[in-house]
């Protein structure tokens, strides 16, 4: 290659899943989030890389999608709440931890209710 020549690589399937996150259409966003939550590809690391995105809307969407991805299918419906805490994001949710063994399930042991919390800080220096 000559000096100054740039190579352009093709977008991978994983990166292609993130296209459209910056669009303002809620329909597009809901479809994208559902695709990411259910994707067979490993999308956790790319989602985590969006947690400090400079666009607050994308950052909020990344937090919501990341939690839904990690805790699916244990996340209780409508339990995920996101709120602003200054320049930080506070997320809380409830999930059921499944019974670990077939023996426990046979004894009618119930799944345990747990609570999750995630705080995304703009910087540790704000404390």
């Amino acid at each position: 290659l000559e000096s100054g020549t740039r190579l352009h690589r093709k977008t991978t399937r994983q990166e292609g899943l993130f296209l459209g996150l910056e669009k303002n259409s809620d329909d597009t966003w809901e479809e994208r989030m559902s695709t990411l939550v259910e994707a067979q590809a490993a999308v956790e690391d790319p989602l985590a890389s969006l947690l400090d995105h400079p666009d607050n809307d994308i950052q909020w969407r990344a937090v919501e999608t990341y939690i839904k991805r990690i805790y699916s299918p244990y996340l209780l419906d409508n339990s995920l709440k996101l709120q602003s805490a200054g320049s930080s994001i506070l997320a809380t949710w409830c999930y059921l931890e499944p019974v670990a063994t077939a023996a426990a399930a046979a004894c009618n042991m119930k799944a345990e209710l747990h609570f999750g919390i995630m705080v995304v800080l703009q910087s540790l220096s704000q404390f």
Side-chain angles (χ1 to χ4, degrees):
L1 289 175
E2 295 179 25
S3 176
T5 303
R6 295 187 71 176
L7 290 175
H8 296 283
R9 66 178 179 83
K10 295 176 99 179
T11 303
T12 65
R13 165 96 172 112
Q14 183 174 343
E15 291 167 330
L17 291 172
F18 296 104
L19 294 176
L21 285 180
E22 296 179 2
K23 293 183 181 177
N24 293 326
S25 170
D26 288 336
D27 292 338
T28 301
W29 167 243
E30 291 301 324
E31 291 170 14
R32 289 278 181 206
M33 188 167 68
S34 178
T35 300
L36 289 171
V37 168
E38 298 168 5
Q40 295 295 320
V43 297
E44 292 82 3
D45 288 341
L47 274 173
S49 73
L50 295 173
L51 296 178
D52 66 348
H53 196 280
D55 183 325
N56 288 343
D57 191 40
I58 292 174
Q59 190 178 30
W60 276 64
R61 291 173 178 183
V63 168
E64 182 179 3
T65 306
Y66 184 82
I67 293 168
K68 285 183 176 183
R69 168 71 180 193
I70 298 297
Y71 287 90
S72 178
Y74 310 111
L75 187 66
L76 295 181
D77 289 340
N78 301 316
S79 72
L80 178 58
K81 307 290 183 222
L82 277 75
Q83 59 188 13
S84 177
S87 60
S88 302
I89 299 173
L90 174 65
T92 58
W93 64 94
C94 298
Y95 65 98
L96 292 174
E97 185 174 335
V99 176
T101 65
C107 294
N108 291 325
M109 293 181 71
K110 304 263 188 229
E112 293 184 29
L113 180 64
H114 293 276
F115 300 95
I117 185 167
M118 174 188 246
V119 180
V120 179
L121 303 172
Q122 187 130 26
S123 169
L124 289 177
S125 64
Q126 68 190 52
F127 289 100

